[in-house]
Amino acid sequence: MKKIICLGIESSCDETAAAVVDSDKNILSHVIYSQAPEHREWGGVVPELAARAHILAIDLVAAQALRDAGMDARDIDIIAATAGPGLIGGVIVGWEFAAGLAMSANKPLIAVNHLEGHALVPRLRCESDSGGDAAAVDFPYLLLLASGGHTQTLIARGVGRYELLGQTLDDSAGEAFDKVAKMLGLGYPGGPAVEREAAHGNPKAFRFPRPLCGQDNLDFSFSGIKTAVRMTLGKTPDAVAADICASFQQAVIDAIIDRLGRAIARAVGIKTLVAAGGVAANRAIRGAISSLAAENGMRFAAPPIKLCADNGAMIAWAGIENYLAGNTAAARPTAPRPRWPLEELAS
Ligand code: KG4
Ligand code: ZN
């Protein structure tokens, strides 16, 4: 089959990112401009600031991705961009930029669902338990997708074919990490900061709740853990941050493992368990899920850490998989969407 080269563009949150990836799974360039410093003083992403920062960065980031790959727009076969879900101002910036480039270079344009980017990137690259490259992930797989905007379990049966099992009733796991980091003054983004603190804290120092654990459903809930942290800090303001973080992280892990265990029982015949999304970058969470997979006789796979958080390579790869499946923007016209559930792709 002819090799397809794709420029992928991502702008749904606070990273302006672009990458060139080919259908032989080579990542030819990978550029991420993080806006974190611009949002840090507000303790979280400010949508208007994000949209403006994307406008200022998008052409530079895309040009850099082409340059790093040693190409110009003529050498690219297809262009893929996030069309949602996400902060709509940023999504519009990336999508319209990609649409303009596709029109001027006369290339097919692929509208990528950001969540599908996270869901498919383990098929581009995944890591073995020892950290090295592992064999590619084949369909079907049970997917835990845990990011700043979403926490859900799905069965991935094919490109565009996702069956939702359960999702959070309130905060996402990433949001809980970000809010706890904010309470402790650890800065933004919170996940990596909390993980760093937790590494030298006592996970048994505080007993935070494990929401929904033991209940016979596949939902998630994280806001109660976050609220318990807030109350503990109110009562014991001089609590050691590392102990709070370690105890909080342990509560999140226990909740995820209980919920995921139930999803495994429901996903009869599925032999691979995949974790993806920004929260899957957390080593302690990866380790716990890997053990759960082993206990259930399943293979565990997760993208390398640098492909867990938002990036252009995951969008380029999802673009390639969709292009090969016939899902071009011409076949499936789309406007930028703030909400776009994965399971809607099947229809
Ligand atoms: O997938 P992502 O980059 O963006 C969204 O699509 O939302 O996920 C970002 C989320 C943030 O909430 C961030 O705090 C969290 O992923 N995150 C982590 C870690 N790295 C990023 N959470 C826990 N531990 C980490 N190491
Ligand atoms: Zn994301």
Side-chain angles (χ1 to χ4, degrees), residues 117-128 131-134 137 141 143-144 273-283 286 299-309 311 314:
H118 283 302
L120 294 179
V121 75
R123 290 166 51 77
L124 169 64
R125 281 278 184 294
C126 77
E127 220 173 49
S128 69
D133 279 354
V137 174
Y141 49 92
L143 171 68
L144 170 73
L273 177 58
V274 171
V279 178
N282 184 297
R283 293 271 178 206
R286 281 165 97 100
R299 175 186 170 207
F300 171 68
I305 304 283
K306 74 166 188 174
L307 294 180
C308 285
N311 64 85
M314 71 184 204

Side-chain angles (χ1 to χ4, degrees), residues 114 118 147 310 314:
H114 178 87
H118 283 302
S147 68
D310 294 348
M314 71 184 204

Side-chain angles (χ1 to χ4, degrees), residues 233-323:
L233 284 172
K235 278 188 274 183
T236 45
D238 48 0
V240 177
D243 289 342
I244 295 274
C245 288
S247 303
F248 161 77
Q249 185 172 275
Q250 192 57 51
V252 171
I253 290 173
D254 291 349
I256 287 178
I257 294 303
D258 178 86
R259 311 283 75 211
L260 208 43
R262 275 163 206 276
I264 289 172
R266 198 72 68 87
V268 179
I270 307 280
K271 293 277 166 236
T272 306
L273 177 58
V274 171
V279 178
N282 184 297
R283 293 271 178 206
I285 294 177
R286 281 165 97 100
I289 298 174
S290 172
S291 304
L292 178 71
E295 280 161 26
N296 285 277
M298 296 174 87
R299 175 186 170 207
F300 171 68
I305 304 283
K306 74 166 188 174
L307 294 180
C308 285
D310 294 348
N311 64 85
M314 71 184 204
I315 303 304
W317 178 251
I320 289 171
E321 294 233 55
N322 272 284
Y323 178 76

Side-chain angles (χ1 to χ4, degrees), residues 21-27 122-125 136-137 317:
V21 174
D22 71 27
S23 52
D24 292 342
K25 304 193 174 182
N26 298 302
I27 300 175
R123 290 166 51 77
L124 169 64
R125 281 278 184 294
V137 174
W317 178 251

